[in-house]
Amino acid sequence: MRVVERRFAGQIALVTGGGSGIGAAVARRLAAEGCARVHVADIAGDNADAVAGEIDSTAHIVDVTNVAAVDRLVDEIHSRSGRL
């Protein structure tokens, strides 16, 4: 049995492009390694919802080409969690 390190224990993370591919793998790994909350952001809301549901986390729809939208999301997460 492989033991997973808890190197991200208690941390709050935001993964853009987290609805598929490498981003989804990163979100899953962060959760497995102890993140208190992984915010899964993707332009494809259904994908973000699916990954967030797998890891009991939070999904966000955001287009990373829209700098203002990303800034709002970061501010929202920071105001709710006190950190990111």
Side-chain angles (χ1 to χ4, degrees):
M1 179 179 180
R2 182 171 174 244
V3 176
V4 176
E5 289 184 45
R6 304 287 292 172
R7 63 184 165 163
F8 298 108
Q11 298 298 312
I12 307 294
L14 168 62
V15 180
T16 58
S20 64
I22 293 170
V26 168
R28 290 179 185 111
R29 178 54 64 103
L30 286 167
E33 292 195 21
C35 260
R37 176 66 56 194
V38 178
H39 293 269
V40 180
D42 203 290
I43 196 166
D46 290 343
N47 293 355
D49 285 337
V51 174
E54 289 175 28
I55 60 175
D56 190 29
S57 202
T58 306
H60 304 274
I61 299 171
V62 68
D63 178 353
V64 296
T65 66
N66 182 334
V67 175
V70 174
D71 286 344
R72 281 191 302 273
L73 177 57
V74 169
D75 289 346
E76 175 189 330
I77 293 168
H78 192 264
S79 70
R80 286 185 182 178
S81 303
R83 59 199 166 102
L84 178 63

